[in-house]
Amino acid sequence: MKNKFIYTMRWKFIYVFVLSIVLAAITVFLSYRILLALIYVKPFTTPVRWVVNNIGSTPVMVVIGGFLFLFFFFIFSRKIIGYLEEITLGLQEIAKGNLSYEIVARSSDELGVVVDNINQMTRKLRKSIEEERIAERTKNELITGVSHDLRTPLTSILGYLELIESDRYKDEVELRYYTNIAYEKTKNLKKLIDYLFDYTSLHGNDPVLKKTKINMYGFLKQLAEEFIPALTKAGMSYRLASDDEMVYINADGNQLVRAYENLISNAIRYGREGKYVDIQIRTSSNEAIVEIINYGEAIPQMDLPYIFERFYRAEKSRSSQTGGTGLGLAIAKSIIEVHGGQIAVHSNRSMTVFETTFPLLTGNS
């Protein structure tokens, strides 16, 4: 703290000021002694005597001392002034919009602190602009994705309704066929809109969570039972395993249902070949860990980093027959993260694992 105080700008200017006075005084004194010696040297005798008799030695020494002080002061403060000019030029460069420019911090005094603050401000501003650009690009991507995914079923619905409206069907069997397709497309459309609503509500203002103490084993067992019809239709079944049936977390049950519904639906959709959806619960340190495992085709390694992005599908056709809306995993990730948890995915030829972790409730928490 003492060293920092000594190396402040205030003390640096005091050093420069005192040093300039001392050097000016020494120089004047030496010059005076030299002139006293020169008074006896013939070429200098007359001018020196004239100066002493007509002007006086004291005024001359004061004037010379003043000029010498200013000279030394400018010399010794040149580094400080140069640094101020460097900071000014840096600010001008930043003002032009070059936010990648950083001023070099050359000292730990007030100027150094100013430079650090300017650089920090520039970095934050650059990051803010980048985030704004990403948000704008994300919004455009969201609009594009929504337009695509809404237009496809809507076009089909309009097409079949037009056939019905214009009586272009052979018999009642064909009429029912058309209405059934329109109905299924409408359900898919509603599902997509519900997903969009869920996603935007989670990414708007902080969602209000009604947290309660939840037993993960009982919660997931009940949820898995509700999937039995879908599992049976896919020729699959579930297996639930836990080292401890008393694993508790603090969470909003309704939100958590939506997250795990998406994960289990995803496991059924892409894991039919494996015949099983495994749900495994375990604890580690202060975390509750839930793994949703399917044994279908592996997710390509190049797709893994993007699997939780909205509208991203490892299956690129965007077909509702082969893939979901592209929002389910993004919603699951958002719900888990607002609960203070994390989600990760691991995939290889034998299995695909979606691993979720939450803070574990222990004791009477």
Side-chain angles (χ1 to χ4, degrees):
M1 188 70 183
K2 202 175 200 179
N3 291 335
K4 286 183 180 179
F5 179 72
I6 291 173
Y7 289 105
T8 58
M9 286 296 300
R10 186 181 296 108
W11 278 102
K12 284 185 177 180
F13 274 110
I14 291 173
Y15 295 153
V16 170
F17 184 81
V18 172
L19 187 59
S20 299
I21 289 177
V22 170
L23 287 177
I26 291 173
T27 305
V28 168
F29 176 76
L30 291 175
S31 300
Y32 177 73
R33 300 302 297 178
I34 291 170
L35 287 173
L36 287 180
L38 291 175
I39 202 169
Y40 299 106
V41 179
K42 276 194 173 182
F44 302 103
T45 301
T46 302
V48 171
R49 285 183 181 278
W50 184 89
V51 169
V52 171
N53 292 330
N54 291 277
I55 301 175
S57 57
T58 301
V60 171
M61 286 191 294
V62 170
V63 172
I64 293 173
F67 280 112
L68 286 172
F69 167 76
L70 291 175
F71 173 76
F72 287 125
F73 188 82
F74 277 111
I75 292 295
F76 295 132
S77 63
R78 183 174 58 184
K79 187 176 179 181
I80 299 173
I81 302 303
Y83 192 28
L84 279 171
E85 291 174 350
E86 185 180 338
I87 293 172
T88 302
L89 291 173
L91 285 171
Q92 290 173 351
E93 189 69 23
I94 293 168
K96 291 176 184 176
N98 184 8
L99 298 179
S100 61
Y101 185 89
E102 288 203 0
I103 305 169
V104 179
R106 302 187 184 280
S107 63
S108 58
D109 54 24
E110 288 90 342
L111 287 182
V113 173
V114 168
V115 167
D116 285 338
N117 288 334
I118 290 172
N119 288 336
Q120 189 176 18
M121 177 194 69
T122 306
R123 285 192 290 268
K124 286 183 177 179
L125 183 59
R126 184 169 67 241
K127 183 180 178 183
S128 176
I129 291 173
E130 287 173 357
E131 287 176 349
E132 187 175 341
R133 287 173 181 167
I134 291 170
E136 183 67 23
R137 187 168 66 249
T138 299
K139 183 184 74 174
N140 292 335
E141 290 173 356
L142 183 64
I143 292 170
T144 303
V146 168
S147 300
H148 181 282
D149 279 16
L150 289 178
R151 183 175 57 192
T152 302
L154 191 58
T155 301
S156 291
I157 292 168
L158 289 172
Y160 283 107
L161 289 178
E162 185 182 359
L163 291 174
I164 296 169
E165 177 68 20
S166 58
D167 296 326
R168 290 189 298 185
Y169 54 88
K170 296 178 182 178
D171 49 31
E172 188 175 341
V173 174
E174 193 170 63
L175 172 62
R176 285 185 175 277
Y177 174 72
Y178 289 165
T179 55
N180 182 65
I181 292 176
Y183 175 66
E184 292 299 326
K185 295 289 183 182
T186 304
K187 286 200 299 183
N188 289 338
L189 194 59
K190 181 182 182 301
K191 185 178 180 182
L192 176 60
I193 292 170
D194 289 341
Y195 271 133
L196 285 170
F197 178 78
D198 289 343
Y199 185 80
T200 52
S201 66
L202 286 166
H203 284 75
N205 298 326
D206 291 336
V208 178
L209 300 177
K210 298 178 180 178
K211 292 185 176 182
T212 57
K213 187 176 180 180
I214 294 176
N215 180 324
M216 290 302 288
Y217 182 84
F219 170 82
L220 288 168
K221 183 174 179 58
Q222 181 179 345
L223 184 60
E225 290 290 328
E226 294 174 7
F227 273 93
I228 286 179
L231 287 163
T232 302
K233 185 177 179 180
M236 303 174 71
S237 59
Y238 80 88
R239 296 182 298 196
L240 177 62
S242 178
D243 296 336
D244 184 356
E245 295 185 6
M246 298 297 160
V247 176
Y248 291 93
I249 68 168
N250 192 28
D252 184 325
N254 292 328
Q255 295 281 3
L256 214 58
V257 164
R258 291 156 68 193
Y260 282 106
E261 277 181 345
N262 289 336
L263 292 176
I264 295 173
S265 296
N266 184 79
I268 296 172
R269 182 178 298 115
Y270 297 105
R272 295 172 184 264
E273 296 175 3
K275 304 300 180 183
Y276 292 103
V277 172
D278 281 336
I279 303 170
Q280 297 182 355
I281 307 168
R282 57 189 173 87
T283 59
S284 177
S285 300
N286 294 318
E287 292 181 332
I289 302 171
V290 176
E291 294 177 335
I292 308 296
I293 307 170
N294 74 74
Y295 302 93
E297 187 177 344
I299 301 171
Q301 291 299 312
M302 63 180 292
D303 292 317
L304 285 177
Y306 312 103
I307 203 72
F308 295 109
E309 292 186 6
R310 61 201 161 287
F311 291 112
Y312 187 85
R313 292 180 186 158
E315 187 279 316
K316 301 296 189 296
S317 70
R318 301 190 70 87
S319 166
S320 61
Q321 302 301 318
T322 57
T325 62
L327 280 171
L329 293 179
I331 291 170
K333 180 176 186 288
S334 299
I335 292 173
I336 288 163
E337 288 182 347
V338 298
H339 281 84
Q342 293 181 330
I343 185 169
V345 59
H346 316 284
S347 187
N348 54 45
R349 291 183 180 180
S350 60
M351 67 176 68
T352 295
V353 182
F354 283 88
E355 181 182 277
T356 59
T357 61
F358 294 93
L360 180 67
L361 281 183
T362 55
N364 295 322
S365 298

